[in-house]
Amino acid sequence: MCGIIGYSGPRKTSPLLLEGLRRLEYRGYDSAGIAVGREGRSDNSLGIVKAVGKIAALKAAMPADLDGAWGIGHTRWATHGGVTLANAHPHTDCSGKIAVVHNGIIENHMSLKAMLEKKGCVFVSETDTEVIPQLIAHYYKGNLLEAVRAAVQSLRGTYGIACIHADEPGRIVGARNGSPLVVGVGAGEMFLASDVTAMVAYTNKVVYLNDGEIVDITQDSYSIIDRDENRVDKKVDEVTWELGSIEKGDFPCYMEKEIFEQPESIARAISGRLDVENSTAKLGGLNLERRHLSGIGRVRIIAAGTSWHAGLVGAHLLEHVARIPAQSELASEIRYRNPVVERDSLWFTVSQSGETADSLYAMREIQRKGATVLGICNVVGSTIARESDGGIYVHSGPEIAVASTKAFTSQLAAFYLFTLLVARMKDMSRDEGISFLSTLQSVPDLVRRTLAQRDKVQAMAKKYHKAKDFLFLGRGILYPIALEGALKLKEISYIHAEGCSAGEMKHGPIALVSPEVPSVFLVSDDYLREKTISNIREIKARGGPVIAVGVEGDDETKSLVDDFIPVPKSDSRFYPFTMVIPLQLFAYFCALELGRDVDQPRNLAKSVTVE
Ligand code: F6R
């Protein structure tokens, strides 16, 4: 949430900051702004421009002559204070010499504000952030680093900040507590950003800051100190993302690109991780000994949103296939619940971004209680990936659309690999292992064949997009897919949708059924098929339109429903991979029909770094 960028170097600063913000826009798009240092002007003042709305609005508001030698920028997802120009970042102190951009929430801003007002500070915004530049000014005695160091000691809450002072040319000071911050190391130029997408066009050398660290950046150098003011020498990591992977290419938007990338992204998640000879999986990053793995008594999964749905599929699979009790829980719930952490439990945190605040804090709490927590993350070097005790990178590549699609199917792949590994340590035979493994290998192709239903799903969206409410229903391993289908539709089309277990339908949701409320059923060909078909009949008997995503050749279901989207026949345990595809496409095409901003839906942001 909220994107931050800072730059010190010889390039034209304002266009570079604008371009960086464009790449960070998915982190928030309520307002945006930049501040640049302009050494040499008679008053040494900062040049600041802000706009309400997206980066395009900021670009339009940018005076042609606004440039400087160093600067900071911000794209906002509003927390404290409405979406107004006054609340847009950067914020300054009363003198206008210090500018700050901030991602996070300063919890004690009211008391700090009262203290600063008594000293004569005048506040012009409703934000929590404004106390930061005012506090830095309060401590400033000619050295920005010293002032930031003093100021952050008074801050409670979360922050990733970048600060500049008009009188200290080329210097950017950043500080992190709970919100991500990365230094980009160039040749004769330095970057600071909330994530690497902002600077991957210029450098692939990055240094990730940890909580409590402060970085002092100039054009040619960076130095980091920790909470105790000790200098920290950190490893410079290399980012392997290609610039092309964060571009839309020939697609009209990122979401469509990411949906259609899934055969490749799933193949990447699996690649090099199958041990065909022993019909098992190889997951080197787990950092667990064989003895530890074979002694797991229970698996517990914590995550949010779509990642939680992947966890629900993972839990079902682990119990069903590996015979290990497993649960997937919402990070925002578990972190405040004082959960019982059993000695033989293995925990997973699932997160595309690796920065979701609830998932991160829940993970830290579980680790504090002594458990091993593995991460299933996409973003390499993200906080959850670094702080977990080991894990599985899903290698989806950058996911830019706010609604998660390809990361979800790659998270599923990670759970299928892990399940195969532990199942083979228990009762799964070599033959069963071979069958499971070869179906997993065929998933990219199954998904490719399902994507061929594109036009049919688009026609269905044209038919149904005016409905105000939808039900999504599935059973067993497809129940989480029903939840995911409903979430996708809500997020990007703003149509109300409820995902429920088809078995629960009669316990309440059926009251919603009417000719105006379509139901989307997921129909497997396993032991639950007959039960699901009975549920479809119950809806049809009450006049509700039914769409079914089912298995090709299932003529009975096809004849019963209004619209039928087939997926290729496979081992029923693998239908989550294929059955989610028509639901992603359906949400996408409904959103297009309704003229929604598919990649950046209202009120949302990609990476939820505040509670
Ligand atoms: C839904 C979506 C969100 C995220 C959730 C967790 O399309 O994108 O529900 O899944 O915010 O995000 P990560 O996986 O980054 O922890």
Side-chain angles (χ1 to χ4, degrees), residues 303-309 349-357 359 376 379 384 399 401-405 407 411 484 487-488 491-492 604-608:
T306 289
S307 297
W308 174 58
H309 298 156
T349 307
V350 190
S351 176
Q352 186 285 126
S353 61
E355 301 292 350
T356 300
S359 305
I376 295 185
V379 178
I384 291 174
E399 192 180 65
V402 164
S404 185
T405 53
Q411 289 164 348
E484 178 59 7
L487 179 63
K488 285 287 94 83
E491 275 184 297
I492 59 166
L604 294 173
K606 181 75 182 156
S607 171
V608 186

Side-chain angles (χ1 to χ4, degrees), residues 12 47 97 140 238 320 339 386 468 473 477 499 560 589 592:
K12 280 187 172 297
K97 291 231 165 191
Y140 188 75
E238 288 215 353
H320 184 64
R386 285 182 295 124
K468 297 273 178 284
L473 302 116
I477 204 164
L560 205 60
F589 286 122
L592 281 190

Side-chain angles (χ1 to χ4, degrees), residues 203-498:
T203 181
N204 66 347
K205 295 194 170 42
V206 298
V207 178
Y208 297 100
L209 295 195
N210 287 334
D211 283 351
E213 291 178 343
I214 299 179
V215 62
D216 186 13
I217 287 175
T218 66
Q219 171 167 341
D220 313 292
S221 69
Y222 69 93
S223 63
I224 299 170
I225 51 170
D226 65 13
R227 276 201 181 94
D228 303 323
E229 302 187 10
N230 297 318
R231 203 192 144 110
V232 190
D233 286 319
K234 304 189 75 142
K235 184 169 145 263
V236 178
D237 283 300
E238 288 215 353
V239 180
T240 51
W241 288 355
E242 303 276 321
L243 190 56
S245 67
I246 55 172
E247 303 287 2
K248 281 197 281 246
D250 294 335
F251 287 93
C253 60
Y254 282 106
M255 186 173 176
E256 187 175 336
K257 174 181 182 238
E258 289 160 8
I259 290 174
F260 281 88
E261 265 174 23
Q262 288 176 102
E264 293 79 40
S265 54
I266 297 169
R268 272 199 304 277
I270 298 168
S271 168
R273 288 170 164 170
L274 289 173
D275 175 354
V276 180
E277 203 181 321
N278 296 302
S279 58
T280 184
K282 300 181 284 191
L283 291 167
L286 298 183
N287 296 339
L288 292 179
E289 298 203 354
R290 192 162 284 275
R291 218 169 339 120
H292 189 158
L293 276 173
S294 58
I296 298 168
R298 182 182 293 275
V299 170
R300 309 233 358 222
I301 301 160
I302 45 184
T306 289
S307 297
W308 174 58
H309 298 156
L312 289 170
V313 174
H316 185 102
L317 194 75
L318 278 159
E319 191 165 284
H320 184 64
V321 177
R323 309 298 300 143
I324 297 176
Q327 288 152 278
S328 178
E329 296 176 72
L330 290 169
S332 52
E333 288 295 322
I334 204 161
R335 64 176 287 209
Y336 292 114
R337 215 179 58 212
N338 195 17
V340 175
V341 172
E342 296 136 328
R343 289 296 122 204
D344 61 350
S345 290
L346 178 66
W347 292 70
F348 280 96
T349 307
V350 190
S351 176
Q352 186 285 126
S353 61
E355 301 292 350
T356 300
D358 285 319
S359 305
L360 174 62
Y361 293 127
M363 178 177 91
R364 286 180 180 163
E365 179 63 13
I366 304 299
Q367 285 175 319
R368 201 170 293 126
K369 290 179 182 293
T372 300
V373 186
L374 303 179
I376 295 185
C377 294
N378 184 34
V379 178
V380 175
S382 56
T383 311
I384 291 174
R386 285 182 295 124
E387 291 191 18
S388 54
D389 300 295
I392 308 172
Y393 274 123
V394 300
H395 301 309
S396 318
E399 192 180 65
I400 310 283
V402 164
S404 185
T405 53
K406 64 174 180 171
F408 175 72
T409 44
S410 297
Q411 289 164 348
L412 294 186
F415 278 116
Y416 279 70
L417 287 163
F418 182 74
T419 301
L420 174 62
L421 177 70
V422 289
R424 284 284 291 126
M425 287 178 168
K426 296 168 78 93
D427 294 337
M428 186 186 262
S429 70
R430 178 181 279 265
D431 278 358
E432 286 167 328
I434 287 171
S435 153
F436 193 90
L437 181 151
S438 45
T439 312
L440 189 51
Q441 276 176 319
S442 72
V443 165
D445 186 52
L446 295 170
V447 167
R448 189 171 295 113
R449 284 160 56 199
T450 310
L451 284 166
Q453 298 297 325
R454 178 193 190 281
D455 293 351
K456 200 161 177 189
V457 180
Q458 185 168 23
M460 236 170 57
K462 282 191 194 302
K463 179 170 164 190
Y464 289 102
H465 71 272
K466 293 207 175 98
K468 297 273 178 284
D469 303 277
F470 275 84
L471 289 176
F472 284 76
L473 302 116
R475 281 172 179 263
I477 204 164
L478 295 177
Y479 164 48
I481 303 304
L483 295 179
E484 178 59 7
L487 179 63
K488 285 287 94 83
L489 190 66
K490 275 186 273 209
E491 275 184 297
I492 59 166
S493 73
Y494 319 149
I495 300 173
H496 172 251
E498 233 184 272

